[in-house]
Amino acid sequence: MPRPRFATADAALRQNLLDAARDEFASKPYEAASLNRILLAAGVSKGSFYYYFDDKTDLAATLFLELAKPMATIGEFERPSSPAAFWAEMHRISYARLKDIESMRTEYECVMRIASAIATDEALRDRVMPMFAPGRAKMMELLQAGVDVGALRSDLPMPALMQLLQDVKMSLFKSLYPADHVLSEAELRSFTDLVIDLAKRISASPKGGTP
Amino acid sequence: MPRPRFATADAALRQNLLDAARDEFASKPYEAASLNRILLAAGVSKGSFYYYFDDKTDLAATLFLELAKPMATIGEFERPSSPAAFWAEMHRISYARLKDIESMRTEYECVMRIASAIATDEALRDRVMPMFAPGRAKMMELLQAGVDVGALRSDLPMPALMQLLQDVKMSLFKSLYPADHVLSEAELRSFTDLVIDLAKRISASPKGGTP
DNA sequence: CGCTCTGTAGACCATGTGGTCCAACCTGTT
DNA sequence: AACAGGTTGGACCACATGGTCTACAGAGCG
């Protein structure tokens, strides 16, 4: 994490730095993102930067947490008592998150890039992972409820299913909409419908259908 | 492409260089992969390398083509006349490819990494894309046959569906098997069954089920 | 004024990068 | 023996990287 001073630093500096970092990390893989370029774009000197941060990793972790926190939050949900209720809940969450994504596309790209670096960069992982446990746990809780209520197949490990549904969504999103496209309300709805329909198909138990 | 000489160069040098390049490109994103490290690992000097190749991009492109060609080949197929026949064909192809992947895991990682760099690196793209058209076209042909015969939904753009099925496979593969796991024959079969089952579900037309 | 404390600038460093260049080395031919 | 051609080693280059360090500016305060 950054030095506590960063919280009280000049607002413009804060903003410029984080914006520049977001753009850089969004456009290049973590290892190829350049701190010098970030500082240049932000108009912040080396001295100032290292006055607030430990190192490059520190900046990435800070940025990641700032951007990913809202994305990982799913809010409160009612424990569903039927498959229909479960899918309604999933639809709601999926729609809400999608709204985030389409309005924060480069943020999302940035988060994904840093996230994929986490797998290999130990320092990054240590600073970032803990903050994510709550969100994941909550999502798991909802999915478990889905299993309990018979909406989700139980023959696959839940993390695998979770990841799969996420990947399906991203795959389609990338395929269907060009990088700079801003979705209309209608597109947003129809895309959500499509994704949830696929999620239902994928998640139904192998032998019997979803009743 | 490398200088023609490379084709007739010392076999050990060829092998060492390509092996080292594969390992390096497999373990780091393209931009972060180091040519110096490759040469060191291969025991090949700068002089020799630049005697055979134009630059780093050239090496990556060469390697990519060498590794990806077999992966992109789907061989001959009979034009299916029923959904069942179509899915049988898909099962066969999927199984064959999977066998490739599990026996060439780092090759696959390498190919994916370079492939993802293609999106942003123009030089790389120009040298690589053309060689891929045939394989893609053939796959498209099969998928079109699938649409014709009613096995595939037609409400999604075909490239999107193609990509989606590919991503589903990869997502599950990564989730279910750790990086160094070598699949047994039985695992290979059951994984293929799982993937094809999912593909059927995903590809069925929105309103009616797959009869 | 002079002191301290917070913040800033940017020269500087060691290291790594992709790429160039040339002297030497082998091997075959005359 | 002398030459020629295809190879190789590796010193070297300009530049970019993340990170350090020192000098200094400005504000608050006695």
Side-chain angles (χ1 to χ4, degrees), chain A residues 29 31-32 153 156-157 159-160 163-164 167-168 171-172 175-176 194 197-198 201-206, chain B residues 29 31-32 153 156-157 159-160 163-164 167-168 171-172 175-176 194 197-198 201-206:
Chain A
E31 296 91 333
R153 61 199 297 167
L156 290 179
Q163 187 62 45
L164 177 59
D167 289 343
V168 163
S171 172
L172 274 176
S175 287
L176 297 180
L194 172 62
D197 174 57
L198 285 175
R201 297 167 182 230
I202 290 170
S203 310
S205 289
Chain B
E31 296 90 333
R153 62 199 297 167
L156 290 179
Q163 187 63 46
L164 177 59
D167 289 344
V168 163
S171 172
L172 275 176
S175 286
L176 297 180
L194 172 62
D197 174 58
L198 285 175
R201 297 167 182 231
I202 291 170
S203 310
S205 289

